[in-house]
Amino acid sequence: MDSLPPLDGRALRDGRGGAAVTGEPRGHAEEVVVTACPDGPLLVRGPARLVDQEGNEIERHRATVALCRCGGTAIPPWCDGTHKVNGYRSGDDDGRATASEAGTGA
């Protein structure tokens, strides 16, 4: 991440397939980094504020959290590892279908 330009509130690639997102320029706030794990969750690192569909804040207990992408978790919005058994595929550039395209996910 050494080569990223200063952030201006837009999503930027972090060089590993994730996106670095922040509302303030670098140096004014701690950086938030979202990394899409292949066939797995979104890892959110940093002081991101998470809210539900009604705008209520979702309490975080860790600096890094894993958000479910497969739709099969028993503890939404957190990942519980269900993607490993339900056939979820993230649809990365290697041509694999996502679980919803294959009929096994969200």
Side-chain angles (χ1 to χ4, degrees), residues 35-76:
T35 303
C37 296
D39 302 335
L42 295 174
L43 295 181
V44 181
R45 294 178 177 94
R49 182 172 171 258
L50 303 176
V51 296
D52 65 16
Q53 63 273 15
E54 293 152 2
N56 301 311
E57 189 154 353
I58 300 170
E59 188 175 352
R60 292 175 56 171
H61 299 283
R62 298 179 176 168
T64 299
V65 294
L67 301 177
C68 177
R69 288 201 287 172
C70 77
T73 184
I75 53 170

Side-chain angles (χ1 to χ4, degrees), residues 37 39-40 69-70 83 85-91 97-100 104-105:
C37 296
D39 302 335
R69 288 201 287 172
C70 77
H83 59 276
V85 295
N86 72 5
Y88 176 76
R89 296 291 178 257
S90 57
T98 64
S100 57
T104 60

